Amino acid sequence: MTVLYKIYQIFIAYPLIIIASIITSVVTTTGCFIGNGHFWGYHPGRLWARFICTILFLPVKVVGRENLDPGQSYVFVANHQGIFDVFVIYGYLERNFKWMMKKSLRKMPFIGIACEYAKHIYVDKSGPSKIKATYDNAREILREGMSLVVFPEGARTFTGHMGIFRRGAFMLADELQLPVCPLTINGSFNIMPRQRDGHLVSWHPLTLTIHKPIEPKGKGPEQIQEMMEESYRVVMSALVPEYQGTVENPDQ
C-alpha cells in the first residue's frame, strides 16, 4: 500500500495539486482585484485546502465547532506541527479569517501574490516600523469584523512538540477585547515534518480541536500573560501523548 500510495502521489495527486494551486491563486487574485476581497480571499482557498486533503486520502476530524459563536470575531491561536496545519485550518475551521504569516512566504510562486491580494498579513520583522505596520494591519482586519489565525510559536516544530508562544496575538486580543480561541492540530507532523519539506506525504489522520474561547477578563500586561499561558495549556492538553511537553525550537 505504501508503494502504491507513493506512485499515486507522484503521477496523480501532486500534478493535480499543482494545477489546483495555480487555478486557486489566479481565481483568488482576480476575484480580490475585481470585487469582494473577503469572499475571494477565503472561499477559493478553503476549497483548495479541502481538495488537497481529499486527493491525498487524508481523513480530517473536527472536534468542538459548536464552541464558536457565528457572529463573533476571534483571534485563533494554534500549534504549528507542519505545512498541513494550513490545509486543516483553511479547509475545515469554517470561519472566514486572515492569516498572519512569515514575510518569506510572499516569494512563493502564485500563492504569495494571491495571499497579498487576499489581504493576509505578512509579518515583517526587519525593523520596529515594519513590526508596527504589521500589527496596525492586523488591528484593522479585526476591527472590520474578521477573525485572525496566528501560529504563536512563529515557526514549525522540529520534533512535533510545542515551543514557546510569542505575545503578539494576545496583545491584539487584549487591545481590542476579543476572545482568543485555542486550536490544537494533531497528525500534521506525522504527514510531513519540516525536515521533509517537498517530499511525499505519509498517510495519517488529521484532527482539529476547537477549544472553548477564552474571553477577556480585563486589560493590560497581566491579562495578556494570563491569556497566553491559558491558551498554551489548553492547546497542549489536546495533543496526543507522543507530543506532550515543551521542546525548545531554535528557529523561534
Side-chain angles (χ1 to χ4, degrees):
M1 176 61 182
T2 302
V3 174
L4 289 176
Y5 189 46
K6 289 179 178 179
I7 293 172
Y8 167 77
Q9 288 181 58
I10 293 169
F11 292 104
I12 299 176
Y14 271 42
L16 290 176
I17 289 171
I18 291 170
I19 293 169
S21 299
I22 294 171
I23 292 172
T24 301
S25 299
V26 171
V27 169
T28 298
T29 303
T30 305
C32 290
F33 179 77
I34 293 173
N36 186 343
H38 289 334
F39 177 89
W40 294 105
Y42 170 67
H43 290 285
R46 180 179 64 87
L47 295 175
W48 166 76
R50 281 180 171 259
F51 172 77
I52 288 174
C53 292
T54 300
I55 200 169
L56 290 170
F57 304 117
L58 301 174
V60 179
K61 179 181 179 182
V62 180
V63 178
R65 193 176 282 126
E66 69 278 1
N67 290 325
L68 299 180
D69 179 348
Q72 175 66 55
S73 295
Y74 296 99
V75 177
F76 292 100
V77 295
N79 61 312
H80 205 0
Q81 284 201 333
I83 187 63
F84 277 81
D85 300 340
V86 173
F87 307 136
V88 171
I89 293 175
Y90 220 156
Y92 297 90
L93 182 59
E94 294 190 1
R95 299 286 297 202
N96 199 332
F97 64 87
K98 302 298 182 187
W99 293 101
M100 287 190 76
M101 60 182 71
K102 286 184 174 181
K103 183 184 175 183
S104 59
L105 296 176
R106 174 62 180 81
K107 299 177 182 178
M108 292 181 65
F110 293 99
I111 292 174
I113 191 170
C115 288
E116 182 174 318
Y117 271 82
K119 303 299 183 183
H120 296 302
I121 302 162
Y122 289 113
V123 179
D124 190 339
K125 298 181 180 179
S126 59
S129 63
K130 298 293 186 181
I131 294 173
K132 181 180 182 301
T134 296
Y135 283 96
D136 286 346
N137 190 7
R139 190 179 296 111
E140 289 307 310
I141 290 294
L142 288 166
R143 282 178 175 155
E144 290 175 6
M146 296 292 292
S147 292
L148 193 66
V149 174
V150 184
F151 295 116
E153 294 166 90
R156 289 172 292 162
T157 176
F158 283 101
T159 64
H161 299 79
M162 287 169 61
I164 63 173
F165 276 5
R166 302 297 186 186
R167 294 167 61 86
F170 305 96
M171 291 170 66
L172 283 169
D174 177 70
E175 178 183 343
L176 300 177
Q177 290 293 280
L178 290 173
V180 172
C181 185
L183 306 173
T184 303
I185 299 166
N186 282 296
S188 179
F189 185 78
N190 303 80
I191 291 170
M192 186 180 287
R194 64 183 297 181
Q195 300 94 320
R196 293 181 55 244
D197 279 351
H199 289 63
L200 300 178
V201 307
S202 299
W203 186 91
H204 196 279
L206 289 154
T207 303
L208 172 65
T209 301
I210 304 170
H211 299 280
K212 291 184 178 180
I214 302 168
E215 300 290 340
K217 301 173 185 174
K219 200 170 187 180
E222 291 185 2
Q223 169 67 9
I224 293 168
Q225 186 67 25
E226 183 179 329
M227 282 195 299
M228 185 169 67
E229 290 177 357
E230 185 174 355
S231 296
Y232 195 91
R233 177 187 59 78
V234 170
V235 173
M236 178 80 74
S237 71
L239 281 174
V240 296
E242 181 182 0
Y243 298 125
Q244 288 279 338
T246 302
V247 174
E248 184 179 356
N249 185 347
D251 196 34
Q252 287 191 290

